């Protein structure tokens, strides 16, 4: 029987501590008939007062010792630490702010984007078109706690078009030698990204390919094995790939990887069929489909100024680009966009 049920089923006994109390035998058998008789006798107040004080002081001392003990402090600290480490991480965003090609304005624009409402920021390590350290400064200056943001970056092998080591600020390690193994390239990339982004973990790291030129699969799976270990250690939360429109390549990665890709980031482009045939595969394997070049690729040129798109935009009093963003979201994508104008940033979030 629980304590609560015991209290509910037992008769309440209210005894003045300065009066006589029932004997243990009487309490055990529930017999309180003699209690009133005993109360008519002259109470032995001095002894009872002393007994009451001793019991009260002992209980207080016990509580003090318990609260003051190192064990209790350790338990309290562990509890607080548990609350911190179990804090929920930010989810992937339904719309993503891309920090590509922002140059010296990266920090300011990222901060403004976060203040406007973006919570998912995409950047790149060892890529000449990204200022990864600027993203770190930007989120720090935004005033938004790290755990409320989803920050992703890229891993670029040295042979990938766009690779540049200027992002790496690590003394004695950068610029790296050109003969680093793929595994060591991953280790250096993660270390550099953690330093640039001023964080102890990265929400997502994507293995980068340049447009239609896929890296040799053997290199990708080598890099993937290292990234899987970072996921195991809690340093990286999710891993994914960029610019993979080859179904067989993707299926092989899904089959041979221990930790499956959570993200595929592809161009939304007519020469790749807008990934219509691949989208069921993304959905089946629970892969978030990030889309870029929505406005600047073929979709932007052919669709953005389409009469029907314009009519829809006027009907809902939004811009044509917002209509395209909403369309990509409707078909299961997450648009990756990077406006530089604060007005456009706010409109895109709204």
């Amino acid at each position: 029987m629980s304590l609560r049920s015991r209290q509910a089923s037992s008769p309440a006994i209210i005894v003045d501590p300065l009066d006589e109390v029932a004997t243990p035998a009487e309490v055990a058998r529930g017999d309180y008939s003699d209690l009133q008789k005993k109360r008519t006798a002259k109470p032995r107040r001095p002894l009872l007062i002393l007994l009451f004080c001793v019991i009260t002081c002992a209980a207080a001392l016990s509580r003090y010792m318990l609260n003051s003990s190192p064990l209790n402090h350790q338990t309290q600290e562990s509890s607080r630490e548990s609350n911190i480490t179990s804090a929920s991480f930010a989810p992937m965003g339904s719309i993503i702010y891309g920090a590509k090609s922002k140059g010296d304005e990266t920090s300011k624009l990222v901060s403004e984007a976060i203040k406007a409402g973006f919570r998912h920021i995409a950047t790149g390590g060892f890529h000449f078109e990204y200022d990864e350290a600027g993203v770190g400064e930007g989120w720090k200056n935004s005033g938004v706690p790290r755990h409320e943001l989803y920050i992703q970056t890229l891993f670029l092998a040295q042979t990938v078009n766009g690779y540049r080591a200027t992002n790496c600020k690590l003394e004695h390690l950068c610029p790296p030698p050109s003969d680093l193994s793929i595994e060591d390239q991953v280790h250096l990339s993660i270390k550099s990204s953690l330093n640039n982004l001023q964080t102890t973990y990265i929400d997502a790291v994507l293995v980068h390919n340049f447009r239609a030129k896929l890296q040799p699969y053997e290199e990708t799976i080598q890099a993937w094995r290292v990234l899987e270990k970072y996921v195991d250690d809690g340093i990286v939360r999710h891993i994914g790939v960029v610019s993979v429109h080859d179904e067989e390549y993707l299926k092989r990665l899904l089959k041979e990887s221990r930790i499956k890709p959570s993200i595929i980031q592809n161009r939304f482009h007519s020469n790749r069929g807008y990934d219509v045939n691949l989208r069921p595969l993304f959905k089946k394997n629970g892969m978030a489909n990030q889309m870029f070049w929505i406005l600047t690729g073929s979709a932007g040129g052919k669709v953005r100024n389409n009469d029907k798109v314009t009519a829809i935009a006027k009907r809902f009093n939004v811009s044509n680009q917002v209509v395209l963003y909403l369309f990509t979201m409707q078909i299961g994508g997450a648009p990756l966009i990077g406006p530089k104008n604060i007005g456009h940033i706010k409109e895109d979030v709204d």
Side-chain angles (χ1 to χ4, degrees):
M1 180 183 294
S2 67
L3 177 61
R4 186 178 299 274
S5 59
R6 285 178 184 272
Q7 291 172 336
S9 59
S10 301
I13 309 172
I14 304 176
V15 180
D16 186 334
L18 300 182
D19 287 342
E20 280 283 7
V21 297
T23 65
E26 289 171 333
V27 173
R29 67 173 182 266
D31 181 9
Y32 310 108
S33 58
D34 293 333
L35 188 56
Q36 293 301 325
K37 294 179 183 178
K38 291 182 179 181
R39 285 182 176 176
T40 60
K42 184 178 180 178
R44 294 171 289 183
R45 290 182 183 273
L47 179 60
L48 290 172
I49 291 173
L50 178 61
L51 178 62
F52 178 71
C53 290
V54 169
I55 294 173
T56 303
C57 292
L61 180 61
S62 176
R63 286 194 297 270
Y64 172 78
M65 293 178 66
L66 178 61
N67 292 332
S68 303
S69 70
L71 178 60
N72 186 64
H73 282 181
Q74 183 178 1
T75 303
Q76 291 175 347
E77 290 298 325
S78 300
S79 178
R80 281 195 288 269
E81 180 68 19
S82 175
N83 289 336
I84 293 172
T85 57
S86 64
S88 59
F89 292 106
M92 297 182 198
S94 57
I95 186 168
I96 305 159
Y97 187 79
K100 186 179 180 181
S101 303
K102 301 300 186 292
D104 294 338
E105 292 188 300
T106 298
S107 176
K108 177 176 71 74
L109 290 171
V110 166
S111 183
E112 288 179 350
I114 293 172
K115 290 176 182 178
F118 279 94
R119 289 297 179 267
H120 188 152
I121 309 296
T123 185
F126 289 85
H127 193 296
F128 80 101
E129 290 190 272
Y130 287 99
D131 178 8
E132 195 178 42
V135 172
E137 293 173 5
W139 84 258
K140 279 283 192 177
N141 294 335
S142 72
V144 175
R146 173 65 182 92
H147 70 273
E148 293 183 11
L149 299 172
Y150 191 99
I151 300 177
Q152 75 179 45
T153 192
L154 303 172
F155 162 70
L156 274 77
Q158 292 179 337
T159 53
V160 175
N161 191 316
Y163 174 89
R164 192 79 55 83
T166 51
N167 258 331
C168 185
K169 315 296 182 185
L170 300 172
E171 294 184 11
H172 311 302
L173 294 176
C174 291
S178 59
D179 59 349
L180 277 182
S181 67
I182 287 292
E183 291 84 358
D184 285 339
Q185 290 180 48
V186 175
H187 289 308
L188 179 59
S189 181
I190 296 297
K191 189 170 185 177
S192 174
S193 291
L194 290 170
N195 179 66
N196 287 339
L197 296 171
Q198 302 184 52
T199 184
T200 57
Y201 69 96
I202 306 170
D203 292 286
V205 176
L206 311 187
V207 177
H208 188 68
N209 295 282
F210 179 72
R211 298 188 183 177
K213 185 181 178 181
L214 284 172
Q215 286 300 103
Y217 178 81
E218 290 71 23
E219 287 190 7
T220 296
I221 198 65
Q222 280 180 296
W224 201 268
R225 298 295 183 218
V226 181
L227 289 171
E228 287 177 326
K229 294 177 182 177
Y230 279 102
V231 176
D232 292 337
D233 293 339
I235 296 173
V236 174
R237 293 180 58 211
H238 302 118
I239 46 181
V241 288
V242 177
S243 295
V244 178
H245 302 273
D246 185 316
E247 184 173 0
E248 294 307 313
Y249 190 101
L250 187 56
K251 283 183 175 179
R252 185 178 177 186
L253 180 60
L254 285 165
K255 180 180 179 181
E256 296 182 6
S257 58
R258 178 172 59 84
I259 297 177
K260 309 305 178 185
S262 301
I263 299 169
I264 183 160
Q265 184 188 105
N266 280 351
R267 288 183 299 162
F268 190 63
H269 202 282
S270 60
N271 66 10
R272 292 292 175 267
Y274 301 108
D275 284 337
V276 171
N277 295 329
L278 287 176
R279 202 159 291 118
L281 183 64
F282 302 160
K283 185 176 181 180
K284 177 182 177 182
N285 290 278
M287 299 169 65
N289 181 202
Q290 299 177 358
M291 302 177 181
F292 62 98
W293 276 26
I294 295 172
L295 301 182
T296 54
S298 63
K302 296 179 181 179
V303 180
R304 183 170 48 173
N305 297 319
N306 181 279
D307 291 340
K308 292 183 178 179
V309 172
T310 301
I312 294 172
K314 287 182 177 179
R315 178 182 175 186
F316 292 98
N317 194 29
V318 296
S319 64
N320 286 29
Q321 58 261 33
V322 168
V323 173
L324 283 182
Y325 296 154
L326 291 172
F327 171 74
T328 57
M329 293 166 73
Q330 283 288 321
I331 62 176
L336 175 60
I337 64 177
K340 295 182 179 180
N341 181 287
I342 186 61
H344 291 164
I345 290 175
K346 290 180 178 179
E347 179 191 28
D348 295 339
V349 172
D350 294 339

